[in-house]
Amino acid sequence: LAKTTQPISMDSYEGQEVNITCSHNNIATNDYITWYQQFPSQGPRFIIQGYKTKVTNEVASLFIPADRKSSTLSLPRVSLSDTAVYYCLVVRGNTPLVFGKGTRLSVIA
Amino acid sequence: EAGVAQSPRYKIIEKRQSVAFWCNPISGHATLYWYQQILGQGPKLLIQFQNNGVVDDSQLPKDRFSAERLKGVDSTLKIQPAKLEDSAVYLCASSLQGTNQPQHFGDGTRLSIL
């Protein structure tokens, strides 16, 4: 599976839009991009998954350019409760998820 | 719907002792996973079950770790004997059968080895 690279940490003020970019240069044709969120002392929680262009749900948007070598998770108007670690993963069928270290987002009042 | 249940939430043992963790997946989820998460790192898959059969256990240290999923529902993960480097959070996850199904995680068991 394609290795992913994302920033180690990010800071944001409350109410701002946060964009976390992930690179996955070796993504294969059948691979999907998935994002998970993890709060302290909790297990990861699925946020969003996409294949190409744009996917939006009640929590976030996922932007994937045509070459699919990167993706951007967009969190609109973050609040303190969005402080968490965000993981970008490339998934293929039923192969195991491979988590990196993720991006630690700190939202400041 | 009820989420993935795990117990205990915390466990402290001495090295060379044994320990067991229990997981009850979401009802109807055929696939069950055990992950190990060391502080500051992302979760690492230990074993994956499809119903009561093992799909992938390539990263399970089989000399000391074992897991079973009798009857294709609940699962237990055991460590015997424990080593200091086994200190971690052990997460259980489950998903529906099928391609690219999202995984639903429990809150894990935090294991400390003294």
Side-chain angles (χ1 to χ4, degrees), chain A residues 20-31:
Chain A
I20 306 174
T21 298
C22 176
S23 67
H24 25 78
N25 291 320
N26 297 320
I27 192 167
T29 303
N30 296 330
D31 293 343

Side-chain angles (χ1 to χ4, degrees), chain A:
Chain A
L1 285 175
K3 181 180 177 182
T4 60
T5 302
Q6 53 185 123
I8 295 295
S9 64
M10 294 180 68
D11 294 332
S12 176
Y13 287 102
E14 273 192 301
Q16 289 188 328
E17 177 184 74
V18 170
N19 296 309
I20 306 174
T21 298
C22 176
S23 67
H24 25 78
N25 291 320
N26 297 320
I27 192 167
T29 303
N30 296 330
D31 293 343
Y32 281 70
I33 298 111
T34 298
W35 287 79
Y36 281 77
Q37 173 193 55
Q38 187 174 27
F39 297 114
S41 300
Q42 294 185 23
R45 182 174 73 104
F46 172 84
I47 302 176
I48 197 166
Q49 178 170 284
Y51 183 79
K52 61 181 179 180
T53 60
K54 177 183 176 182
V55 179
T56 297
N57 61 22
E58 65 277 5
V59 176
S61 294
L62 178 61
F63 299 92
I64 305 168
D67 67 3
R68 302 197 332 118
K69 293 183 183 298
S70 66
S71 59
T72 299
L73 175 72
S74 181
L75 304 172
R77 297 180 299 281
V78 294
S79 64
L80 295 176
S81 62
D82 293 316
T83 294
V85 178
Y86 292 82
Y87 295 98
C88 166
L89 299 97
V90 170
V91 297
R92 180 185 304 158
N94 293 321
T95 57
L97 298 181
V98 178
F99 288 83
K101 292 189 176 183
T103 296
R104 186 172 300 275
L105 173 66
S106 297
V107 180
I108 307 163

Side-chain angles (χ1 to χ4, degrees), chain B residues 13-33:
Chain B
I13 63 172
E14 294 185 347
K15 59 183 179 182
R16 291 188 290 273
Q17 286 187 322
S18 62
V19 64
F21 313 125
W22 173 82
C23 172
N24 180 240
I26 292 174
S27 177
H29 282 196
T31 311
L32 185 146
Y33 314 78

